[in-house]
Amino acid sequence: MLLLIDAGNTRIKWGIPDSQQPPAPSKPQWRIITSVAHDQTDQLVSAWQQHPISKILISNVAGTEVKARLTTLLAQAFPGLQPEWFASQKACAGVRNSYANPQQLGCDRFASAIAATYLYPSQHVIVATCGTATTVDAVSARAEFSGGMILPGLKLMAESLARNTAQLPQVAESIQVDQPFADNTDQAIVSGCIHAQAGAITLAYHLLQKKQAETVICLISGGAAPYLLPHLSFQCEHIANLVLTGLFVVAQSNPS
């Protein structure tokens, strides 16, 4: 049984795919998929030990302390089983990485690009991941990660203005895309942050569409995705577990 872990800056997601999977390019089917905050990792060992795990694949962008913590927890849960740490490289699972320094690309972004290619083969795709940071990446129909943008995430952007960030989700839901001009400062800040995020995604979508002169698919993931989706003027598919899907594809391409 395969354990996949996506260690992000805010939460640690993990999932176990079903042994029986529909044929590609369908979304993976999961036996379990869940997440914990960084201060809740003590509960992971008992949760993991309920499953007969034989392989572990991890994407970690949360730094060395989180990596060390996960290493300790996995050793407690599965003594003798060595986890594999996914890293960006020149090519993996049929996807080429066009970063000038391929290893510099965040492994979560590369995993998401692999997932996008798996789900939409031979399609141009914009992948927007909206978490602590927002990344907006382009993946070509030739299965090539072309590059992307990085900007502060929705919450981080609002926090930089230091107003009403605790109520950000509730306020975000009240802003309408056809009413961007708020009549009070708190909503004006949230409106500006939301439309800056949506504007970056929209710009990337239209630029790739113009460059390729073909249909472009847009995928969105991350905790802030539900707040941004209503403010995008084109169809964008919300996929909650894009990194884990990419890890699933990598594991399938290298089953040893």
Side-chain angles (χ1 to χ4, degrees):
M1 196 169 284
L2 177 63
L3 172 62
L4 303 172
I5 301 174
D6 168 21
N9 289 307
T10 304
R11 299 186 68 80
I12 296 172
K13 293 183 179 181
W14 62 277
I16 298 173
D18 279 338
S19 56
Q20 299 294 323
Q21 293 289 337
S26 300
K27 294 178 185 176
Q29 300 299 307
W30 301 93
R31 179 180 298 267
I32 184 173
I33 194 163
T34 187
S35 69
V36 299
H38 285 193
D39 60 359
Q40 299 174 322
T41 55
D42 287 341
Q43 62 188 259
L44 288 173
V45 172
S46 59
W48 289 338
Q49 285 180 327
Q50 298 178 35
H51 308 279
I53 301 300
S54 58
K55 181 176 180 178
I56 305 164
L57 182 60
I58 309 168
S59 164
N60 172 45
V61 296
T64 55
E65 289 187 11
V66 170
K67 181 176 181 178
R69 178 64 175 154
L70 285 174
T71 299
T72 299
L73 293 171
L74 288 165
Q76 293 174 12
F78 311 109
L81 183 59
Q82 292 296 318
E84 300 176 32
W85 298 87
F86 178 66
S88 294
Q89 52 199 280
K90 188 67 177 176
C92 182
V95 179
R96 298 185 303 280
N97 179 355
S98 293
Y99 242 40
N101 178 355
Q103 288 74 32
Q104 191 182 47
L105 176 64
C107 59
D108 57 339
R109 294 170 67 195
F110 194 37
S112 293
I114 291 170
T117 298
Y118 170 81
L119 294 172
Y120 291 94
S122 303
Q123 299 278 347
H124 302 292
V125 185
I126 288 293
V127 181
T129 304
C130 308
T132 304
T134 293
T135 59
V136 188
D137 296 321
V139 183
S140 80
R142 299 177 299 280
E144 180 179 26
F145 177 92
S146 304
M149 312 172 184
I150 304 176
L151 59 153
L154 182 58
K155 185 173 184 290
L156 186 60
M157 191 176 281
E159 283 177 345
S160 70
L161 294 168
R163 287 185 63 93
N164 209 27
T165 55
Q167 297 181 16
L168 179 62
Q170 292 82 357
V171 176
E173 290 174 339
S174 71
I175 304 286
Q176 300 300 316
V177 72
D178 57 347
Q179 298 174 348
F181 303 111
D183 61 2
N184 64 84
T185 301
D186 289 336
Q187 284 204 333
I189 287 172
V190 176
S191 178
C193 294
I194 286 177
H195 287 90
Q197 302 276 321
I201 298 169
T202 300
L203 175 65
Y205 175 81
H206 288 304
L207 285 175
L208 187 60
Q209 201 170 47
K210 182 178 179 180
K211 177 182 178 181
Q212 301 296 345
E214 295 178 16
T215 300
V216 172
I217 305 295
C218 183
L219 307 180
I220 189 168
S221 189
Y227 309 126
L228 298 178
L229 268 170
H231 307 285
L232 297 172
S233 59
F234 50 90
Q235 185 173 355
C236 192
E237 183 179 357
H238 183 198
I239 300 180
N241 303 296
L242 205 53
V243 174
L244 290 179
T245 298
L247 293 179
F248 167 80
V249 177
V250 171
Q252 296 297 106
S253 69
N254 183 24
S256 60

